[in-house]
Amino acid sequence: MTAAVHPAAQPLKPAVALAIIALLTAALSLLGAVVGWVLSATGYLEDAAWARALFEGDVASTILLASLLSLVLIGLALAVQLATMILALLVVIRGDGKLRTGAAMLLAMALFGMFFSFSVDLPASASAVTDVLAVLALAVQALRWCVTVAGAVVLCVGIREVRRARAALPSGPRM
């Protein structure tokens, strides 16, 4: 059993930043899933009119713009994942109690997508297997989202506990 970390030494600012990033990431992930479901349910993605309209002008410029936008979004996603991992490591190492538990959950979810991947190339005749794997992938994504939200909630409870403990300290210089 390790000694408890003094409330003034708890990494409160990194924990707050981690909670904000985690909650925003989870909310945007859920929003993306809902938008994708709505677009596929309405048939908008199957209608090729929007794709033809996109390529009516200069095709090279359109491809260049789409490529640059994709690179920016990939870079942003990598930066957010890196920030999550760094902040979570900092809170896990220097924090204690619920701060450490919540940060560990968020770190596990950030590392999960980095180290675990599953890909299967099946013929078109194996549609039942493909459907089962699609449902399995959706279940894993839902589990990741739930654990991310749970980790953020535990982290927020830990932040509140550290703030209360700091407020209960006698007045004086604080770190």
Side-chain angles (χ1 to χ4, degrees), residues 29-50:
S29 173
L30 181 64
L31 179 67
V34 168
V35 167
W37 181 79
V38 167
L39 288 176
S40 67
T42 59
Y44 184 74
L45 294 177
E46 295 172 6
D47 181 22
W50 65 271

Side-chain angles (χ1 to χ4, degrees), residues 69-95:
L69 181 63
S70 297
L71 287 175
V72 166
L73 289 175
I74 289 169
L76 183 63
L78 288 174
V80 167
Q81 190 172 13
L82 181 64
T84 300
M85 287 189 302
I86 290 171
L87 289 170
L89 276 173
L90 183 67
V91 174
V92 166
I93 291 169
R94 293 183 49 212

Side-chain angles (χ1 to χ4, degrees), residues 7 10-11 21-22 25 36 71 91 99 102 109 117 119 126 133 136 143 146 150-151 160 173:
Q10 295 272 359
I21 288 173
T25 302
L71 287 175
V91 174
L99 278 183
M109 290 302 100
S117 177
S119 177
L133 291 176
L136 181 63
L143 178 67
C146 289
R160 186 175 38 190

